[in-house]
Amino acid sequence: MADRGVDLSALPKEVRDQLAELDLELSEGDITQKGYEKKRAKLLASCIPHLPSKTSSSSICFFIFFNMCFYICFLRALYVDIHTEAVQAALAKHKEEKMALPMPTKRRSAFVQSPLDTCTPPDTSSASEDEGSLRRKAALSAVLAQTLQSPDYWINRSVQSSSTSSSASSTLSHGEPKTHPQPQLQPAVSLLADVLAHTRIGKQPAVFGVCPGVPVSSRVSTKIQQLLNTLKRPKRPPLSEFFLDDSEEIVEVPRPDPNTPKPEGRQIIPVKGEPLGVVSNWPPALQAALARWGATQAKSPALTALDITGKPLYTLTYGKLWSRSLKLAYTLLNKLGTKTEPVLQPGDRVALVYPNSDPGMFWVAFYGCLLAEVIPVPIEVPLSRQDAGSQQIGFLLGSCGVSLALTSEVCLKGLPKTPNGEIIQFKGWPRMKWVVTDTKYLTKPSKDWQPHIPTANTDTAYIEYKASKEGTVMGVAVSKISMLTHCQALTQACNYCEGETLVNVLDCKKDMGLWHGVLTSHGLKPEVICPCATSPEALTVAIRRPGARGAPLPARAILSMGGLSHGVIRVNTEDKNSALTVQDVGHIMPGALMCIVKPDGPPQLCKTDEIGEIVINSRAGGTMYYGLPGVTKNTFEVIPVNQAGAPIGEIPFTRTGLLGFVGPGSLVFVVGKIEGLLMVSGRRHNADDLVATALAVEPVKTVYRGRIAVFSVTVFYDERIVIVAEQRPDASEEDSFQWMSRVLQAIDSIHQVGLYCLALVPANTLPKTPLGGIHICETKQNFLEGNLHPCNILMCPHTCVTNLPKPRQKQPVDVGPASMLVGNLVAGKRIAQATGRELGVVEDQDLIRKHQFLSEALQWRAQTDPDHILYVLLNAKGAAVCTATCAQLHKRAEKITATLLERGSLNTGDNVVLLYPPGIDLIAAFYGCLYAGVIPVTVRPPHPQNLAATLPTVRMIIDVSKAACILTTQPLMRILRSREAAASVNVKTWPTIIDTDDLPRKRPPHIYKPPTAEMLAYLDFSVSTTGMLTGVKMSHAAVSTLCRSIKLQCELYSSRQIAICLDPYCGLGFVLWCLSSVYSGHQSILIPPLELESSLPLWLSTLSQYKIRDTFCSYSVMELCTKGLGTQTEMLKTRGVNLSCVRSCVVIAEERPRLALTQSFSKLFKDLGLSPRAVSTAFGSRVNLAICLQGTAGPDPSTVYVDMKSLRHDRVRLVERGAPQSLPLMESGTILPGVRVIIVNPETRGPLGDSHLGEIWVNSPHSASGYYTIYGEESLQADHFNTRLSFGEPHTLWARTGYLGFIKRTELLDCKILMSSRHWEIYLESGLRYHPIDIETSVSRAHRSIAESAVFTWTNLLVVVAELSGSEQEALDLVPLVTNVVLEEHHLIVGVVVIVDPGVIPINSRGEKQRMHLRDSFLADQLDPIYVAYNM
């Protein structure tokens, strides 16, 4: 070159960097040689004047010669001609359509690309340095501030009229508050109040719908609208492929398309190669040829190795090659062991571990093994333990029985070693003994020793490794006669002669590099281009004859891509954009016989116009997969059959793995490989064709050439195409997204197939093969395991998934008003109903007086047993900080009553809010209200560190309940009136606040007694999982009956102790905390759940210390113990914690039992003596606080497995454990005494039969009286609390729980309720019911870093929110995994995937997810997500 003398080190750094980038583009093929020289000269000219800009002709000739030689030995031998013009023409059709694809939303703190000068060049082996920037480096508030100051500018550019509303915390999330540095964040808090205040209290709207209180103009909803508009476009292919989602999974065969091209030619006739010539002086074996040339042409060069600059390193003559190989053979046979116990025997396998940069040492080792009659197995040099495992060489070495490895001294020093200096044990490898083959370590053979050189026979000569499509590595055994015959066939086909020179730029250890460079050691004429087709199994299949007179000219075929996808050859004459141009690879090898057979199924001969797999019969091919006889038979012993299924002969053929056809003049055309074949919806697509199309879409600015992987993954009964490419460091987000969008359009237009996923990863992060290519199998494995770590991803399931289930056909209702009712049988089926045992009749007047009102029960106990301890409150250390006897509780309640009557100015029936932390003060205040004749309303106090999120809910309950007074403690009273509280609510309008910490010793003038038991006792307010605030009215009769049912079910009496670790503000938790002990007289040990955060073992140690037999907890408590104490059971055991005393541990919740959590809890603490039958669940709802509760004498909790497909059709079909599509369901406990349950069709309101899923209706004396609402919705009250069946028992009043479930009858004639999900949380798609908890369970299993998940819908799009517990680098890995698992297990397409921080999903006090609040926060852009992906 003209600038070769320039000292590059003297140039400025920026010029050196630009030159390095230019060299990289040249090596990647992103720039032509002419363009490279021009740009390089221009760069140097700016620093060195008078530098000529043109290069000499010799350098250009060398470049052309280099590429010609490369093409001669090109392994694929496949010329794909998808022109850039064709791709651009296809994309031009879409230019008129305005791009409206919603771009993904990224947090600015994540995925920040490093500057160009700090990025590791892609051609090095080190990883990118971007990982450190993916972790958060500041507190959440700092991230929020950063997000506000630098919003995603490209989102605003692509989405018109989008809002850049600030991020804020979800209103009911736990954890530290997020700061709001800008004033526009202030309305975010009031948004919740607006949503709840404008929603009718008690009404349960569908969580999958539009919430009227959410502004639809936010940024997120605008993007979703873009997504919806995009998805409204017609899909291709049309929705014609369905499967029937019935009891059996049957995929319907799609109707044949009449326009599908079909083969029309005749059956192909086997093609025979030219006869193999007979040469009189041909050596009897390859070793004999080496011996001849080593003696007669000792000084003639056999090999010259060049460095990267083209300078010769060394030359190996035939004499040196012979002498060194002889030394190595002698050393292997005589010097490694003893005469009686040699290490190697003839026929043993030996690994050859040499780098490609040292072909001379490899030649010596290869021929040395042949002379020693041991079988060489060339493999790649493992650079690390991970490389050895990823290449799966260990499987090859193990199947071949290799225990000895030959290598050079330089290579041995470079292998990874242990601290002791020994070579590490590579993953999957057998134990190896390493032998250095450098000349100084070899022994000269004695004069009387000569190698045994037999005539070539069928014994194995060497083993070449081959990687399958699945990534497994197998060894192809080549016999001695095959090796010799192959060399003869190559010499004859290529017209080799002495003295010619071969330039080899391929791997000298395998395939074409081995055959042309090591075995034949002759040359090709440099002015001729000779494509060839090769296969590890069949060696050389076909080659174009170089320079032969009369040989046909190179042929080209322009084929239709549509025809190729159906395996048919059709000449493309209409649409040039969808054409594939292929060149022939010449004729088959001399002495070979070739057929084309169908690649799938039996090896049936193809027709002449049909694409198939090439099979070869030749003496010059591989013989078997070494050590794998089963696989060998299917590949090396194939007998083709005709259309009738009869064999065409007895000659065995070998599958080559090449797809092609025979053209005119018996020319062979290859269009692809079996391992690159992608079968999508019955059509074939070639991975290399897709790569070529993607590269034609202006890739230079976005991705690297040669760094693209295309593979398919099986998702939902079909193959889905995935493209992964390495993104350039300087590519912007917008450029990358636009490139991905254009690739989607180009592939759809040219190949008529939709992409499932397109991912871009940082530069130099894809796993590589030893020769520098992309390791497809490992890339696919990383994709499926979530280890790919992309920086950009685009999922398109809506486009390519066209075999979704058929819409549900509405069947006539089996049980309805027109059915015949005979006893408990309706239309031939038993009615699904169940009843608890009778409550019994109380005859004693004292007991009647005691049981009628709780206030009188407390007075009665204070008189009859004043010193009996009812409550013990524990702190975090397990010490009893407060106790309350019957008398103490009564006197404390009296003081509160006196204060209320004196200071509250209350009337009978007024509502009083009790704002207390969990403790005995709350209990005393409750009974003080009953004594005063006012209605208590228990409310969870606001969190002092998160007032902005929790105080509005308190204020809302106070406003909705029209409370006349607030009873609380001094610290909470100060919080309510603080300046921080004033920032969230109006503190000047609080009702009267009374502090009950220091009350005077006063007794009330009288204690109120309700005139009837139907009078209101208290109000129970709760925020449901849908985020709605509901308050229900509990009468005195309902309270007494409920306490009596619990007493009978749990056998509670005065001498019993129970432990309660629950929040005491609503539902069954409040009943157990405040009411049950006063009614039954047992002692309750109270453990506030908040104390477990500072002392995790508190609950379990209390059970052990007090020898508690019955305990009640929430899922939150159980999950806290499972995650925090699961690995500390030994420590707990040393502390003396023993749970063998626990008879029943009941989880209180209003949801489907969490089977996985309860089973994990039982298994983890089994070593502490916890009985596996102890853990059970309860079931209650808003209309009836306790429907089921596992009793002390009941049977063990049972688990059944139901078919999910049937459940979607509202049918219950029990299956065995482990059955496909099975869903485990745990019973919700035994029905309480006095409770009657029936399963009802929610639409017809008629009773259902046993095997049906329906809404659970309950009839019980302790049901709530109705909703407490300020709107006076009498119709809603009648619908939920006083509703009737449409037939059967029209006079019985039922309460609707809103939960779907079914009844299972046991062998003991008992009935168990198994709950499926809440009716208003069901996702209806095509008439099928999908339960959110089932989808969330699947999502949580998708990746190890998903801590929690929640799902909801918005405008018919399924939205999945996943909490990321790992590094933010893994955020984009979750998107395809979540989409895959939901599609596989639930047959649903996920529309939006949102990745958030842990703790963002709001959870109520019972540990239940509040999906409605989550949806509102997402739509209002208050989640501060790490990443939001909009699936196309």
Side-chain angles (χ1 to χ4, degrees):
M1 286 183 165
D3 59 320
R4 188 171 296 278
V6 177
D7 184 9
L8 298 181
S9 61
L11 297 176
K13 182 179 182 301
E14 57 271 12
V15 176
R16 294 201 308 272
D17 291 341
Q18 293 178 15
L19 288 174
E21 181 70 18
L22 203 58
D23 291 337
L24 178 62
E25 291 183 2
L26 178 63
S27 65
E28 296 289 346
D30 290 347
I31 192 173
T32 63
Q33 177 72 15
K34 184 176 180 181
Y36 167 79
E37 299 291 351
K38 186 176 181 180
K39 287 188 176 183
R40 177 183 172 89
K42 187 176 181 180
L43 282 172
L44 295 176
S46 62
C47 301
I48 307 173
H50 313 299
L51 186 67
S53 60
K54 292 185 179 181
T55 59
S56 65
S57 60
S58 60
S59 65
I60 299 178
C61 291
F62 173 78
F63 175 78
I64 295 175
F65 175 71
F66 180 88
N67 282 274
M68 287 169 62
C69 297
F70 179 80
Y71 193 41
I72 290 170
C73 300
F74 189 46
L75 184 141
R76 275 181 38 84
L78 174 62
Y79 177 69
V80 180
D81 189 13
I82 298 184
H83 296 287
T84 304
E85 291 81 2
V87 175
Q88 298 302 328
L91 291 176
K93 298 179 181 179
H94 299 272
K95 281 190 175 180
E96 296 179 1
E97 303 176 11
K98 191 69 176 177
M99 283 294 295
L101 305 184
M103 292 184 63
T105 303
K106 282 185 183 178
R107 180 184 291 168
R108 294 295 293 174
S109 61
F111 313 106
V112 179
Q113 289 279 359
S114 300
L116 183 60
D117 55 352
T118 60
C119 258
T120 306
D123 54 339
T124 63
S125 59
S126 61
S128 175
E129 300 287 337
D130 292 348
E131 300 176 1
S133 65
L134 302 181
R135 294 187 177 273
R136 237 177 272 179
K137 300 178 181 179
L140 201 54
S141 58
V143 175
L144 180 59
Q146 181 183 2
T147 307
L148 292 171
Q149 293 167 5
S150 57
D152 299 347
Y153 73 95
W154 46 268
I155 293 179
N156 298 330
R157 290 172 58 183
S158 64
V159 183
Q160 298 299 324
S161 68
S162 62
S163 168
T164 55
S165 57
S166 307
S167 299
S169 135
S170 178
T171 52
L172 290 180
S173 300
H174 298 302
E176 293 298 320
K178 299 183 180 181
T179 58
H180 311 288
Q182 294 198 6
Q184 60 263 34
L185 284 178
Q186 205 58 35
V189 177
S190 61
L191 175 62
L192 172 66
D194 294 339
V195 172
L196 295 181
H198 290 85
T199 305
R200 303 189 186 280
I201 303 300
K203 189 173 182 178
Q204 305 291 354
V207 71
F208 303 99
V210 181
C211 182
V214 178
V216 295
S217 61
S218 65
R219 180 176 73 187
V220 175
S221 57
T222 304
K223 288 195 172 186
I224 295 180
Q225 189 59 48
Q226 278 187 286
L227 181 58
L228 288 174
N229 294 337
T230 304
L231 296 179
K232 287 178 183 177
R233 300 173 185 173
K235 300 179 183 179
R236 185 170 49 196
L239 283 172
S240 59
E241 303 171 22
F242 294 104
F243 76 92
L244 187 62
D245 189 17
D246 205 354
S247 59
E248 297 177 3
E249 197 73 76
I250 300 176
V251 180
E252 280 192 1
V253 178
R255 295 179 181 178
D257 185 358
N259 298 322
T260 300
K262 297 179 181 179
E264 301 169 354
R266 57 178 174 80
Q267 182 175 290
I268 192 171
I269 300 174
V271 180
K272 199 170 186 178
E274 61 189 273
L276 195 59
V278 179
V279 183
S280 58
N281 62 344
W282 191 259
L286 197 64
Q287 302 94 306
L290 177 62
R292 178 199 298 178
W293 293 114
T296 61
Q297 302 286 342
K299 293 185 179 180
S300 296
L303 164 73
T304 299
L306 307 179
D307 62 10
I308 57 175
T309 63
K311 295 180 180 179
L313 289 175
Y314 60 85
T315 298
L316 186 66
T317 63
Y318 282 104
K320 289 181 181 179
L321 177 61
W322 166 250
S323 62
R324 292 179 184 178
S325 301
L326 207 62
K327 287 181 182 179
L328 178 59
Y330 179 78
T331 303
L332 292 177
L333 293 177
N334 299 284
K335 296 301 180 180
L336 295 185
T338 61
K339 290 184 178 181
T340 57
E341 295 182 359
V343 173
L344 283 178
Q345 298 282 356
D348 287 350
R349 278 73 58 200
V350 176
L352 305 188
V353 187
Y354 295 90
N356 294 332
S357 59
D358 196 1
M361 294 294 292
F362 174 75
W363 277 35
V364 171
F366 186 87
Y367 283 108
C369 289
L370 295 183
L371 291 173
E373 295 187 274
V374 296
I375 302 173
V377 185
I379 61 174
E380 305 299 337
V381 179
L383 300 178
S384 68
R385 189 191 302 268
Q386 183 180 4
D387 287 344
S390 65
Q391 297 163 16
Q392 299 191 17
I393 296 296
F395 178 79
L396 169 72
L397 300 178
S399 62
C400 295
V402 176
S403 60
L404 188 107
L406 306 184
T407 187
S408 64
E409 185 176 19
V410 174
C411 183
L412 186 71
K413 291 179 180 179
L415 293 176
K417 298 179 178 61
T418 63
N420 299 331
E422 300 177 354
I423 296 175
I424 64 172
Q425 179 64 30
F426 293 108
K427 181 181 179 182
W429 281 36
R431 292 202 169 271
M432 306 286 290
K433 180 179 180 181
W434 296 83
V435 176
V436 177
T437 61
D438 289 63
T439 307
K440 59 183 178 182
Y441 297 106
L442 303 180
T443 304
K444 186 176 181 181
S446 58
K447 294 182 179 180
D448 59 343
W449 185 85
Q450 288 295 329
H452 179 243
I453 303 179
T455 302
N457 51 26
T458 56
D459 294 341
T460 301
Y462 72 94
I463 297 174
E464 177 181 326
Y465 77 87
K466 178 235 178 177
S468 68
K469 184 178 181 180
E470 292 76 24
T472 56
V473 177
M474 300 174 289
V476 178
V478 179
S479 66
K480 296 176 181 178
I481 188 66
S482 297
M483 182 171 62
L484 185 66
T485 308
H486 189 226
C487 292
Q488 182 182 356
L490 278 177
T491 302
Q492 177 177 332
C494 298
N495 197 20
Y496 283 160
C497 59
E498 274 186 57
E500 292 184 336
T501 302
L502 168 74
V503 179
N504 181 25
V505 294
L506 295 176
D507 185 358
C508 63
K509 298 191 293 295
K510 58 178 295 192
D511 212 25
M512 292 292 294
L514 174 65
W515 307 328
H516 286 273
V518 179
L519 304 182
T520 56
S521 67
H522 289 284
L524 298 176
K525 293 182 179 180
E527 70 271 10
V528 182
I529 295 179
C530 303
C532 59
T534 68
S535 162
E537 291 83 0
L539 305 188
T540 304
V541 175
I543 189 168
R544 189 185 297 166
R545 308 308 194 253
R549 290 186 178 182
L553 295 174
R556 300 178 67 185
I558 302 176
L559 306 179
S560 165
M561 299 279 283
L564 287 177
S565 68
H566 292 283
V568 179
I569 303 169
R570 291 290 181 270
V571 177
N572 185 288
T573 56
E574 298 178 357
D575 187 5
K576 295 183 179 180
N577 295 334
S578 59
L580 176 70
T581 304
V582 293
Q583 285 190 345
D584 72 282
V585 291
H587 294 85
I588 64 170
M589 295 293 288
L593 188 65
M594 183 185 73
C595 293
I596 309 293
V597 300
K598 294 184 182 294
D600 305 321
Q604 181 181 342
L605 288 175
C606 292
K607 296 184 178 180
T608 53
D609 60 341
E610 192 174 3
I611 302 291
E613 183 178 7
I614 299 174
V615 294
I616 290 287
N617 170 264
S618 171
R619 292 178 59 195
T623 57
M624 63 177 174
Y625 291 128
Y626 198 92
L628 302 171
V631 187
T632 295
K633 186 173 182 61
N634 297 331
T635 303
F636 293 91
E637 302 174 18
V638 176
I639 305 232
V641 297
N642 56 24
Q643 293 183 359
I648 63 171
E650 298 180 354
I651 304 175
F653 284 75
T654 299
R655 291 185 179 270
T656 64
L658 300 176
L659 295 173
F661 61 95
V662 179
S666 298
L667 289 174
V668 181
F669 289 83
V670 178
V671 297
K673 292 184 178 181
I674 291 286
E675 60 188 43
L677 194 64
L678 310 176
M679 290 290 295
V680 181
S681 300
R683 297 177 61 189
R684 305 173 188 171
H685 302 277
N686 193 289
D688 297 300
D689 298 341
L690 297 175
V691 170
T693 302
L695 287 177
V697 187
E698 303 175 352
V700 180
K701 299 178 181 178
T702 309
V703 300
Y704 290 100
R705 290 185 181 271
R707 303 293 178 84
I708 298 182
V710 177
F711 52 89
S712 64
V713 293
T714 303
V715 182
F716 194 52
Y717 307 107
D718 203 354
E719 296 292 311
R720 315 294 178 186
I721 299 177
V722 179
I723 296 182
V724 182
E726 288 190 358
Q727 177 179 307
R728 291 181 176 272
D730 55 342
S732 66
E733 298 285 348
E734 191 171 5
D735 289 342
S736 301
F737 185 78
Q738 289 298 326
W739 181 80
M740 291 192 291
S741 303
R742 291 170 65 82
V743 168
L744 291 178
Q745 296 171 353
I747 290 179
D748 180 73
S749 177
I750 293 176
H751 301 273
Q752 304 293 305
V753 66
L755 289 185
Y756 181 67
C757 178
L758 182 55
L760 299 182
V761 299
N764 198 38
T765 57
L766 287 179
K768 297 180 176 55
T769 60
L771 296 180
I774 300 301
H775 200 299
I776 302 295
C777 298
E778 192 174 353
T779 302
K780 178 178 177 179
Q781 184 178 1
N782 289 342
F783 174 81
L784 293 175
E785 294 178 353
N787 297 324
L788 197 61
H789 307 327
C791 52
N792 277 297
I793 195 165
L794 183 60
M795 298 288 298
C796 307
H798 290 92
T799 306
C800 63
V801 179
T802 57
N803 58 336
L804 290 175
K806 267 188 173 181
R808 178 183 177 185
Q809 301 296 325
K810 283 291 184 180
Q811 301 294 333
V813 181
D814 294 339
V815 180
S819 301
M820 183 66 70
L821 176 64
V822 182
N824 283 340
L825 296 180
V826 181
K829 297 181 181 179
R830 193 201 311 248
I831 289 181
Q833 61 179 346
T835 306
R837 57 177 172 156
E838 294 295 331
L839 275 172
V841 180
V842 183
E843 297 180 354
D844 190 349
Q845 290 299 318
D846 276 345
L847 290 179
I848 292 177
R849 177 173 169 270
K850 169 195 150 188
H851 287 98
Q852 191 170 12
F853 301 106
L854 272 183
S855 56
E856 294 185 347
L858 178 57
Q859 298 173 53
W860 177 76
R861 292 197 178 279
Q863 294 172 3
T864 57
D865 196 1
D867 297 327
H868 174 64
I869 299 177
L870 285 178
Y871 295 101
V872 178
L873 179 67
L874 303 184
N875 61 6
K877 296 181 180 179
V881 292
C882 184
T883 60
T885 64
C886 298
Q888 289 172 342
L889 184 61
H890 171 64
K891 292 179 180 177
R892 177 73 173 165
E894 282 188 328
K895 289 196 292 184
I896 293 176
T897 302
T899 304
L900 276 173
L901 296 176
E902 180 181 341
R903 298 169 51 189
S905 303
L906 302 175
N907 299 319
T908 301
D910 282 350
N911 296 336
V912 175
V913 165
L914 310 184
L915 204 63
Y916 290 91
I920 297 178
D921 286 344
L922 175 66
I923 304 171
F926 176 82
Y927 287 100
C929 290
L930 294 187
Y931 285 180
V934 294
I935 311 301
V937 182
T938 54
V939 179
R940 173 191 299 274
H943 197 288
Q945 278 79 41
N946 200 8
L947 289 179
T950 56
L951 193 57
T953 305
V954 176
R955 180 73 205 207
M956 191 180 311
I957 297 176
I958 292 173
D959 293 341
V960 170
S961 64
K962 293 186 177 180
C965 178
I966 300 176
L967 294 181
T968 186
T969 61
Q970 287 182 1
L972 285 173
M973 184 172 68
R974 287 194 292 268
I975 288 176
L976 293 180
R977 292 173 173 170
S978 64
R979 182 178 302 174
E980 292 79 7
S984 301
V985 298
N986 186 358
V987 298
K988 297 180 179 180
T989 57
W990 289 120
T992 304
I993 302 177
I994 298 178
D995 158 30
T996 60
D997 282 350
D998 299 314
L999 296 178
R1001 294 184 179 179
K1002 289 185 178 180
R1003 297 186 62 183
H1006 64 278
I1007 293 179
Y1008 176 78
K1009 179 181 178 180
T1012 65
E1014 302 304 322
M1015 295 287 291
L1016 195 58
Y1018 72 94
L1019 294 179
D1020 189 305
F1021 274 90
S1022 171
V1023 178
S1024 69
T1025 57
T1026 58
M1028 293 298 102
L1029 181 65
T1030 55
V1032 294
K1033 299 181 287 188
M1034 294 294 293
S1035 66
H1036 288 278
V1039 169
S1040 300
T1041 310
L1042 175 57
C1043 291
R1044 176 164 172 75
S1045 296
I1046 295 174
K1047 177 181 180 180
L1048 294 177
Q1049 191 85 332
C1050 300
E1051 298 179 2
L1052 301 176
Y1053 39 86
S1054 297
S1055 60
R1056 293 283 304 280
Q1057 272 186 329
I1058 67 171
I1060 302 173
C1061 192
L1062 289 165
D1063 274 326
Y1065 299 108
C1066 60
L1068 193 53
F1070 168 76
V1071 173
L1072 292 170
W1073 188 284
C1074 295
L1075 312 182
S1076 189
S1077 283
V1078 172
Y1079 183 90
S1080 303
H1082 61 272
Q1083 184 181 115
S1084 294
I1085 298 176
L1086 308 177
I1087 307 169
L1090 197 62
E1091 302 291 351
L1092 266 65
E1093 295 182 5
S1094 54
S1095 177
L1096 272 177
L1098 173 61
W1099 177 45
L1100 299 181
S1101 58
T1102 300
L1103 300 180
S1104 174
Q1105 177 184 349
Y1106 288 89
K1107 293 185 169 33
I1108 300 296
R1109 299 186 66 188
D1110 301 290
T1111 181
F1112 299 88
C1113 69
S1114 64
Y1115 280 122
S1116 298
V1117 170
M1118 185 169 283
E1119 189 172 17
L1120 205 60
C1121 292
T1122 302
K1123 292 181 178 179
L1125 299 175
T1127 58
Q1128 303 180 26
T1129 52
E1130 291 299 325
M1131 180 269 291
L1132 294 174
K1133 192 181 294 185
T1134 56
R1135 289 187 181 182
V1137 176
N1138 186 357
L1139 302 181
S1140 59
C1141 56
V1142 178
R1143 180 176 59 175
S1144 67
C1145 173
V1146 184
V1147 186
I1148 306 300
E1150 295 182 8
E1151 61 176 303
R1152 180 201 294 179
R1154 302 186 195 175
L1155 184 62
L1157 179 57
T1158 55
Q1159 287 181 344
S1160 298
F1161 182 81
S1162 300
K1163 290 177 181 178
L1164 284 174
F1165 300 107
K1166 180 181 178 182
D1167 294 341
L1168 299 181
L1170 181 65
S1171 170
R1173 60 165 293 182
V1175 180
S1176 62
T1177 62
F1179 167 46
S1181 67
R1182 290 281 76 207
V1183 299
N1184 192 301
L1185 302 183
I1187 299 171
C1188 298
L1189 184 66
Q1190 188 68 25
T1192 54
D1196 294 351
S1198 61
T1199 301
V1200 299
Y1201 294 84
V1202 299
D1203 182 54
M1204 290 183 64
K1205 302 184 299 298
S1206 300
L1207 209 61
R1208 296 182 192 126
H1209 289 268
D1210 293 341
R1211 297 193 310 271
V1212 178
R1213 186 168 70 93
L1214 300 183
V1215 295
E1216 295 296 325
R1217 179 180 180 181
Q1221 292 285 322
S1222 61
L1223 172 69
L1225 291 177
M1226 182 180 177
E1227 69 173 65
S1228 299
T1230 307
I1231 300 177
L1232 281 170
V1235 176
R1236 186 181 173 196
V1237 168
I1238 191 169
I1239 306 300
V1240 178
N1241 187 321
E1243 297 173 1
T1244 65
R1245 302 198 178 191
L1248 289 172
D1250 267 348
S1251 59
H1252 285 74
L1253 180 74
E1255 186 179 3
I1256 301 172
W1257 287 17
V1258 60
N1259 172 266
S1260 166
H1262 64 251
S1263 293
S1265 305
Y1267 287 127
Y1268 185 86
T1269 170
I1270 57 177
Y1271 298 104
E1273 281 275 350
E1274 298 301 331
S1275 60
L1276 183 67
Q1277 182 133 325
D1279 183 63
H1280 281 207
F1281 290 91
N1282 301 309
T1283 189
R1284 290 178 170 84
L1285 295 172
S1286 58
F1287 79 102
E1289 296 182 36
H1291 303 296
T1292 305
L1293 294 179
W1294 300 87
R1296 301 182 61 175
T1297 64
Y1299 290 82
L1300 296 181
F1302 62 95
I1303 290 176
K1304 174 179 174 290
R1305 302 180 188 276
T1306 65
E1307 297 175 357
L1308 301 176
L1309 300 179
D1310 192 12
C1311 295
K1312 301 292 184 182
I1313 292 182
L1314 291 105
M1315 186 172 55
S1316 173
S1317 190
R1318 295 172 179 83
H1319 184 212
W1320 54 82
E1321 288 186 346
I1322 297 299
Y1323 173 38
L1324 288 174
E1325 175 69 25
S1326 301
L1328 304 178
R1329 296 186 191 272
Y1330 295 91
H1331 307 272
I1333 187 173
D1334 297 333
I1335 302 175
E1336 291 161 359
T1337 301
S1338 300
V1339 170
S1340 298
R1341 288 198 315 264
H1343 194 272
R1344 61 188 177 277
S1345 296
I1346 297 180
E1348 189 56 89
S1349 63
V1351 300
F1352 55 86
T1353 59
W1354 171 256
T1355 57
N1356 297 323
L1357 283 177
L1358 181 63
V1359 182
V1360 176
V1361 181
E1363 291 182 353
L1364 176 65
S1365 62
S1367 166
E1368 287 187 357
Q1369 185 186 15
E1370 299 176 328
L1372 273 70
D1373 286 314
L1374 307 186
V1375 177
L1377 297 184
V1378 167
T1379 306
N1380 290 354
V1381 73
V1382 176
L1383 188 56
E1384 276 281 357
E1385 299 185 9
H1386 304 279
H1387 312 165
L1388 289 172
I1389 295 180
V1390 177
V1392 184
V1393 181
V1394 186
I1395 311 300
V1396 296
D1397 296 307
V1400 168
I1401 296 176
I1403 296 174
N1404 64 14
S1405 60
R1406 297 181 298 275
E1408 299 164 344
K1409 301 169 190 172
Q1410 297 187 290
R1411 300 180 181 92
M1412 179 77 80
H1413 273 318
L1414 180 65
R1415 189 196 69 180
D1416 295 344
S1417 300
F1418 170 68
L1419 296 176
D1421 197 20
Q1422 295 176 350
L1423 293 184
D1424 185 25
I1426 300 172
Y1427 189 82
V1428 181
Y1430 302 93
N1431 290 347
M1432 303 306 303

